């Protein structure tokens, strides 16, 4: 199965992607993680991406596609989750053409629905473990006691002005992707509010209802 997790920044896509991967033995492809990896390695793509990410803007389609296509081509099984990609209709068309060309099209798109106020809280209270990349929320998903405070960092794009810009970009550039997949009959929406377990259960229900696990 090939599942796209779609939704605004901070909706909980990364948190749920990790759970789904553990539960169903799927690979996780996150373009945000790929881009941050390129920044850490100080590659040409990483240096260019950094300017856009820290401003809360989208990285140009061709740069993101270079990383996403590479990650997709390295998948030797056809069961994976794509998180944070596609974020423009152009990216969606490229992804679909690539997967359809391999005879393994997108099985389902799950859209995380949440209002912007909650997103602002989630992102401003998010902390990331510097070494493992694990994501926490200081109130709702606190780090375990053995994690030291000095090992937790705040992402540069989780500053209030970058969060506002990311929400604006989502509305203007990314939301059309939702309608694109709705027209293709692949979209299921879930409320991304309540506890992390409750959101996971809603996703599992969609997977069962749409029989995605066997696609
Ligand atoms: P990316 O890393 O993809 O960021 P994002 O989509 O903005 O998503 P986030 O990681 O901020 O949030 P999330 O939905 O994964 O939520 P999470 O689970 O962490 O992209 C970063 C940047 O890279 C983009 O802005 C762009 O510049 C660039 N980029 C990436 N892909 C691109 C593309 N395809 N094209 C162009 N540019 C691209 O949860 C958030 C917080 O909430 C955490 O603290 C978590 O613990 C907490 N939480 C989760 N669920 C719950 C819950 N149910 N209740 C309470 N708290 C919760």
């Amino acid at each position: 199965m090939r599942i796209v997790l779609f939704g605004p920044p901070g909706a909980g896509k990364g948190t749920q992607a990790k759970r789904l991967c553990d539960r169903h033995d799927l690979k996780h492809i996150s373009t945000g993680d790929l881009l941050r990896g390129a920044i850490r390695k100080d590659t040409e793509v990483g240096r260019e991406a950094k300017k856009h990410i820290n401003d809360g803007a989208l990285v140009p389609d061709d740069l993101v596609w270079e990383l996403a296509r590479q990650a997709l081509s390295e998948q030797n099984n056809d069961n994976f989750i794509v998180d944070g990609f596609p974020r423009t209709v152009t990216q969606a068309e490229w992804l679909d053409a690539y997967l359809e060309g391999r005879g393994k099209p997108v099985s389902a798109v799950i859209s995380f629905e949440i209002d912007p106020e909650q997103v602002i809280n989630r992102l401003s209270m998010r902390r990331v473990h510097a070494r493992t990349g694990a994501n926490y929320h200081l109130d709702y998903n606190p780090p375990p006691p053995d994690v030291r405070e000095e090992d937790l960092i705040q992402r540069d794009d989780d500053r209030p002005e970058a969060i506002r810009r990311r929400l604006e970009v989502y509305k203007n550039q990314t939301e059309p992707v939702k309608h694109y997949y709705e027209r293709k009959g692949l979209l299921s929406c879930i409320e991304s509010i309540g506890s992390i377990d409750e959101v996971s259960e809603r996703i599992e229900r969609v997977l069962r209802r749409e029989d995605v696990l066997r696609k």
Side-chain angles (χ1 to χ4, degrees), residues 20-44:
L20 279 166
C21 287
D22 289 346
R23 186 176 282 186
H24 299 293
D25 194 22
L26 304 170
K27 292 283 175 205
H28 181 196
I29 301 176
S30 152
T31 44
D33 288 347
L34 292 172
L35 288 162
R36 283 184 289 277
I39 293 172
R40 271 197 304 277
K41 286 187 209 139
D42 197 28
T43 65
E44 205 176 313

Side-chain angles (χ1 to χ4, degrees), residues 137-149:
H137 184 285
L138 293 178
D139 291 333
Y140 303 127
N141 183 22
D146 60 327
V147 169
R148 297 180 313 174
E149 207 178 318

Side-chain angles (χ1 to χ4, degrees), residues 7-16 30-33 35-36 49 52-54 56-61 64 83-88 91 112 122-123 125-127 135-138 140-141 155 157-158 166 192-197 199:
K13 304 179 296 296
T15 302
Q16 296 297 335
S30 152
T31 44
D33 288 347
L35 288 162
R36 283 184 289 277
H52 301 280
I53 293 179
N54 288 353
L58 291 187
V59 174
D61 287 339
V64 177
D83 154 21
F85 181 88
R87 258 177 155 98
T88 64
Q91 292 179 14
F112 287 52
R122 285 190 186 179
L123 293 181
M125 300 285 277
R126 170 166 58 187
R127 295 294 181 273
N135 268 345
Y136 301 105
H137 184 285
L138 293 178
Y140 303 127
N141 183 22
R155 272 170 46 174
D157 60 344
D158 281 348
R166 286 161 70 194
S192 190
I193 49 173
S195 71
I196 294 174
D197 283 342
V199 177

Side-chain angles (χ1 to χ4, degrees), residues 31-124:
T31 44
D33 288 347
L34 292 172
L35 288 162
R36 283 184 289 277
I39 293 172
R40 271 197 304 277
K41 286 187 209 139
D42 197 28
T43 65
E44 205 176 313
V45 170
R47 283 192 293 277
E48 178 61 26
K50 189 173 180 178
K51 299 183 234 162
H52 301 280
I53 293 179
N54 288 353
D55 271 357
L58 291 187
V59 174
D61 287 339
D62 52 343
L63 292 190
V64 177
W65 180 236
E66 200 175 313
L67 295 179
R69 193 185 46 190
Q70 169 81 20
L72 289 165
S73 71
E74 285 165 1
Q75 293 307 307
N76 45 18
N77 87 38
D78 293 313
N79 298 317
F80 51 82
I81 288 184
V82 195
D83 154 21
F85 181 88
R87 258 177 155 98
T88 64
V89 172
T90 301
Q91 292 179 14
E93 288 168 349
W94 288 348
L95 175 68
D96 285 348
Y98 180 85
L99 294 179
E100 281 160 20
R102 292 190 353 177
K104 297 283 179 187
V106 169
S107 317
V109 177
I110 299 179
S111 173
F112 287 52
E113 308 290 320
I114 185 168
D115 72 50
E117 283 311 309
Q118 300 229 23
V119 160
I120 292 167
N121 169 287
R122 285 190 186 179
L123 293 181
S124 49

